[in-house]
């Protein structure tokens, strides 16, 4: 056993856990960690973010693109509180981010010392677990447990608070053995009796539907899902977080469901007789929010790793707690190798819905439509890029128009809806997937929330693309004001915006601009084929609205399909969400 200080134990344990990149920013109480960091720079890369929120989104993007935990390192007080939005974002979308914070020395805890904050109390509601390490020798175990908890069961963020005296203290360094925590035994396989019951329900159903979420991606269940759906000819719709879990070009794939899902997908949920939900949590955006009217003619099978989601929003008929991949394997083993199905009428009905109200746009006139931008981007890249969208209208158009083929290629803040997430998360994704083209699609409003990370991207010689859609407004706020607040555009228009091309150039990045539809394709092709950090500013029509839209608090068959759709209670529904 070697003796070493806590700061050295920190790096030694990270290396043992297979961590090779840390996103962080130095400060007073972690300076000893940064002091020893050069000794480990050949095995761990440190990315110096310009803001701790940016660092946390980078770690989150890294985790989502790689499937491995993302790591954040920062000091105490404001640095730690700056990570909270990123932690809550990761928690809502089930992303394994491990945040290490410095803390005042133990004797000063509770004394209102300089840059002291209660990191444990502040992050308790948005972490799966958190630690305040009180002895140097306990640091390796706390770190190892943090990674174990973050990455098992339902992935979630964990915080480890490291007082300064723990980091500078010296003790024997021992790598802990296999982690086993009393009271924490995340399930893998589902209950065989429930699996048998689910299989019987599926075989008996006339109009079954797969309702897939992000849990499919985290469990790596795509191949098992494809085998199940093709063997039984079951159509598939996905939540926003599930996009990529099933190939968009598969004939059984309908499209995204939910508030801005397609007419066909939402009608399929409303009219099916069996919902097979896998790795989704039935949140208000995926269901329309009127839980009592959800799939009124259907029985519901709910497969999820987190028992807390079962019966939380929707009462289910067959709950199965387990890992999606393992449960699907169990189902496949119980099913006959060949199954006679009679889905012709059901699939025909879905195709009719697709024909009645397809996703569409009409690119005429001088103004560029955002839907046209995303459709063009999808065609140019052939769905092969990792696309990280921010939050707002463009996020929904990305979900509707980009044809995702593979898991971990669609990354967005779906649960918390964190504006400013997109660009730093795209940087994290690029560190995780240097072999792939990574594109940050953001709005002018969202990009301004973390645009300081342009410096980080250029400093690290990143090959990353930014498609910035400039409509001069907070677009989704403007859409709701148009639809539900009689066009009262209160505080949604920007009177001052930077010249984003000049801004990019001031950081050493390349900037391009497109203002007319005929310039779009050439601008995108030039930007995507230019090495380095490239920002493409696309001026888009602020009056374009995202359709379809389930009226807030409405059922899934209550969709606003276009400007001509009027609901009797249009002014009231805004208060429902």
């Amino acid at each position: 056993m070697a003796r070493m200080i806590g700061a050295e134990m920190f790096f030694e344990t990270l290396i043992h856990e297979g961590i090779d990149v840390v996103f962080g920013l130095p400060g007073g109480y972690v300076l000893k960690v940064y002091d020893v960091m050069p000794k480990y720079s050949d095995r761990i890369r440190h990315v110096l973010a310009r803001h701790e929120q940016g660092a946390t989104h980078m770690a989150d993007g890294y985790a989502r693109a790689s499937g491995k935990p993302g790591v954040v390192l920062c000091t105490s007080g404001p640095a730690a509180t700056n990570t909270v939005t990123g932690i809550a974002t990761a928690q809502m979308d089930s992303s394994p981010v491990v945040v290490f914070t410095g803390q005042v020395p133990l004797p000063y805890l509770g004394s209102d010392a300089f840059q002291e904050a209660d990191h444990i109390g502040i992050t308790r509601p948005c972490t799966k677990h958190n630690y305040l390490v009180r002895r140097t020798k306990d640091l390796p175990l706390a770190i190892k447990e943090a990674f174990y908890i973050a990455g098992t069961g339902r992935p979630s963020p964990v915080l480890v608070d490291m007082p300064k005296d723990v980091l500078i203290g010296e003790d024997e360094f021992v790598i802990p053995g296999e982690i086993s925590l009393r009271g924490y035994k995340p399930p893998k396989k589902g209950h065989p009796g429930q699996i048998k019951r689910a299989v019987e329900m599926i075989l008996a159903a006339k109009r079954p539907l797969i309702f897939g979420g992000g849990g499919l991606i985290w469990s790596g269940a795509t191949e098992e899902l494809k085998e199940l759906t093709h063997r039984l000819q079951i159509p598939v719709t996905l939540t926003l977080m599930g996009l990529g879990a099933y190939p968009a070009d598969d004939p059984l794939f309908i499209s995204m469901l939910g508030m801005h899902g397609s007419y066909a997908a939402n009608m399929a949920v409303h009219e099916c007789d069996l919902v097979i939900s896998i790795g989704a949590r039935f949140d208000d955006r995926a269901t329309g929010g009127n839980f009592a009217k959800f799939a009124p003619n259907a029985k519901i099978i709910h497969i999820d790793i987190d028992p807390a989601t079962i019966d939380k929003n929707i009462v289910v008929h067959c709950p199965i707690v387990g890992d999606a991949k393992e449960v699907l394997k169990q189902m496949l083993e119980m099913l006959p190798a060949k199954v006679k199905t009679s889905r012709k009428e059901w699939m025909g009905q879905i195709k009719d819905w697709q024909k009645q109200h397809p996703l569409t746009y009409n690119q005429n006139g001088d103004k560029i439509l955002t839907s046209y931008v995303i459709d063009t981007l999808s065609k140019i890249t052939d769905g092969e890029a990792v696309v990280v969208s921010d939050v707002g209208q463009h996020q929904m158009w990305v979900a509707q128009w980009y044809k995702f083929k593979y898991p971990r290629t669609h990354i967005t803040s779906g649960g918390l809806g964190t504006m400013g997430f997109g660009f730093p998360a795209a940087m994290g994704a690029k560190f995780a997937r240097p072999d792939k083209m990574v594109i940050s699609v953001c709005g002018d409003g969202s990009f301004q929330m973390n645009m300081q990370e342009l410096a980080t991207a250029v400093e690290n010689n990143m090959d990353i693309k930014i498609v910035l859609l400039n409509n001069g407004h907070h677009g989704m706020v403007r859409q709701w004001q148009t639809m539900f607040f009689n066009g009262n555009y209160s505080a949604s228009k920007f009177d001052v915006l930077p010249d984003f091309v000049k801004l990019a150039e001031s950081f050493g990045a390349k900037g391009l601009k497109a203002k007319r539809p005929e310039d779009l394709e050439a601008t995108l092709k030039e930007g995507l084929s230019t090495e380095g950090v490239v920002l493409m500013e696309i001026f888009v029509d602020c009056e374009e609205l995202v359709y379809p839209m389930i009226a807030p608090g409405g059922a899934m068959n209550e969709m606003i399909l276009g400007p001509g759709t009027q609901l009797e209670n249009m002014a009231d529904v805004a208060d429902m969400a």
Side-chain angles (χ1 to χ4, degrees):
M1 290 185 291
R3 288 188 67 84
M4 59 181 69
I5 63 171
E8 293 169 318
M9 292 183 186
F10 171 78
F11 284 110
E12 294 286 348
T13 312
L14 289 191
I15 291 167
H16 187 265
E17 288 296 306
I19 303 303
D20 55 10
V21 60
V22 171
F23 304 93
L25 209 156
Y29 295 115
V30 289
L31 279 181
K32 196 62 185 176
V33 177
Y34 279 87
D35 186 50
V36 303
M37 182 182 287
K39 288 200 301 183
Y40 301 94
S41 60
D42 60 332
R43 287 165 287 172
I44 292 185
R45 179 174 185 173
H46 178 262
V47 178
L48 176 60
R50 297 309 192 258
H51 192 282
E52 292 84 358
Q53 183 185 350
T56 314
H57 293 324
M58 288 177 206
D60 193 351
Y62 178 92
R64 299 188 200 209
S66 68
K68 301 191 299 183
V71 178
V72 180
L73 172 64
C74 67
T75 189
S76 63
T81 58
N82 282 343
T83 68
V84 171
T85 297
I87 295 172
T89 303
Q91 193 246 2
M92 286 288 277
D93 290 341
S94 307
S95 181
V97 173
V98 181
V99 179
F100 295 95
T101 51
Q103 183 56 278
V104 302
L106 288 164
Y108 290 109
L109 276 176
S111 71
D112 292 337
F114 177 65
Q115 291 193 333
E116 182 189 3
D118 179 7
H119 308 163
I120 299 299
I122 290 169
T123 62
R124 184 170 289 122
C126 58
T127 53
K128 191 172 179 180
H129 195 63
N130 54 24
Y131 293 84
L132 172 61
V133 184
R134 292 182 175 274
R135 300 185 300 182
T136 299
K137 69 177 183 179
D138 293 339
L139 187 57
L141 180 60
I143 294 172
K144 195 170 176 68
E145 287 185 358
F147 282 107
Y148 176 72
I149 292 171
T152 53
R154 178 178 175 178
S156 291
V158 176
L159 181 137
V160 181
D161 204 17
M162 307 182 296
K164 180 179 179 179
D165 40 355
V166 169
L167 292 170
I168 64 176
E170 183 178 297
D171 213 318
E172 300 289 340
F173 173 64
V174 179
I175 286 289
E178 187 174 342
I179 298 297
S180 177
L181 299 173
R182 192 171 66 176
Y184 178 69
K185 306 292 179 189
K188 288 292 256 183
K189 293 193 173 184
H191 188 282
Q194 291 296 88
I195 304 281
K196 182 173 182 292
R197 187 176 163 208
V199 168
E200 290 170 353
M201 291 170 69
I202 293 171
L203 292 175
K206 303 293 185 189
R207 303 186 305 281
L209 180 71
I210 298 289
F211 183 115
L216 284 164
I217 295 172
W218 283 110
S219 71
T222 292
E223 292 307 313
E224 287 76 11
L225 179 62
K226 284 160 65 176
E227 185 175 344
L228 180 82
T229 56
H230 282 273
R231 196 188 296 184
L232 298 175
Q233 289 298 294
I234 301 176
V236 179
T237 180
L238 297 170
T239 67
L240 176 68
M241 300 311 299
L243 291 175
Y246 199 85
D249 55 0
D250 188 289
L252 289 171
F253 182 63
I254 307 173
S255 60
M256 184 181 75
L257 55 79
M259 178 170 275
H260 291 291
S262 73
Y263 178 78
N266 287 340
M267 288 302 295
V269 175
H270 192 76
E271 296 293 339
C272 70
D273 66 354
L274 180 67
V275 171
I276 308 159
S277 173
I278 311 172
R281 55 187 175 85
F282 295 120
D283 73 291
D284 60 316
R285 266 16 184 197
T287 62
N290 192 329
F291 302 131
K293 291 185 177 179
F294 178 78
N297 305 310
K299 293 187 181 303
I300 297 171
I301 298 168
H302 190 183
I303 302 165
D304 203 285
I305 191 89
D306 183 2
T309 66
I310 304 292
D311 283 339
K312 185 174 185 177
N313 295 328
I314 301 290
V315 176
V316 302
H317 302 86
C318 180
I320 301 174
V321 178
D323 177 77
K325 186 182 183 79
E326 294 299 323
V327 171
L328 287 174
K329 281 182 182 176
Q330 290 175 274
M331 283 186 165
L332 289 167
E333 288 170 1
M334 284 193 188
L335 282 168
K338 291 186 179 179
V339 181
K340 279 191 175 180
T341 61
S342 177
R343 306 270 191 258
K344 192 173 179 182
E345 186 177 343
W346 176 225
M347 295 305 297
Q349 175 63 74
I350 291 171
K351 289 188 186 307
D352 285 346
W353 286 325
Q354 289 172 324
K355 289 176 185 172
Q356 286 172 27
H357 297 290
L359 292 174
T360 187
Y361 63 85
N362 187 9
Q363 178 57 70
N364 285 321
D366 296 334
K367 294 180 180 177
I368 303 174
L369 300 181
T370 304
S371 48
Y372 172 56
V373 177
I374 305 303
D375 189 26
T376 305
L377 189 66
S378 181
K379 289 171 179 168
I380 291 174
T381 59
D382 192 27
E384 294 288 336
V386 175
V387 177
V388 184
S389 66
D390 220 297
V391 171
Q393 284 180 306
H394 67 274
Q395 179 188 33
M396 296 298 109
W397 279 309
V398 166
Q400 291 181 341
W401 288 99
Y402 198 91
K403 306 303 180 192
F404 295 98
K405 296 179 178 178
Y406 316 108
R408 305 195 181 283
T409 56
H410 173 246
I411 294 171
T412 194
S413 170
L416 199 63
T418 305
M419 290 178 65
F421 167 84
F423 177 49
M427 294 170 58
K430 185 64 181 178
F431 278 107
R433 298 295 306 275
D435 57 316
K436 297 285 286 185
M437 175 182 288
V438 176
I439 305 171
S440 166
V441 178
C442 52
D444 46 347
S446 57
F447 186 72
Q448 289 183 86
M449 293 188 177
N450 266 317
M451 61 187 181
Q452 77 283 348
E453 302 303 341
L454 271 170
T456 311
V458 173
E459 186 171 83
N460 285 275
N461 299 312
M462 299 192 74
D463 185 18
I464 191 167
K465 314 306 168 196
I466 306 156
V467 176
L468 191 156
L469 300 151
N470 186 346
N471 65 2
H473 292 75
H474 283 301
M476 190 58 89
V477 173
R478 189 184 189 282
Q479 171 159 342
W480 280 56
Q481 289 172 333
T482 300
M483 299 175 73
F484 308 121
F485 294 90
N486 298 315
N488 179 19
Y489 300 118
S490 175
S492 57
K493 183 178 183 300
F494 299 120
D495 292 325
V496 174
L497 281 172
D499 183 322
F500 288 104
V501 168
K502 289 183 178 176
L503 179 79
E505 291 171 347
S506 74
F507 281 101
K510 184 174 178 61
L512 299 169
K513 209 173 266 192
K515 292 187 174 182
R516 297 177 302 178
E518 57 268 30
D519 296 334
L520 176 69
E521 187 170 339
T523 302
L524 290 177
K525 285 182 175 176
E526 180 182 353
L528 296 176
S529 61
T530 302
E531 194 170 344
V533 182
V534 182
L535 184 150
M536 292 157 271
E537 183 181 12
I538 314 296
F539 289 85
V540 295
D541 186 357
C542 70
E543 295 184 355
E544 186 184 12
L545 305 182
V546 188
Y547 294 112
M549 180 176 184
I550 296 177
M556 297 195 75
N557 65 336
E558 297 172 347
M559 285 169 274
I560 302 168
L561 299 170
T565 307
Q566 285 295 323
L567 300 180
E568 291 181 3
N569 57 342
M570 188 73 90
D572 297 332
V573 294
D575 296 331
M576 294 294 294

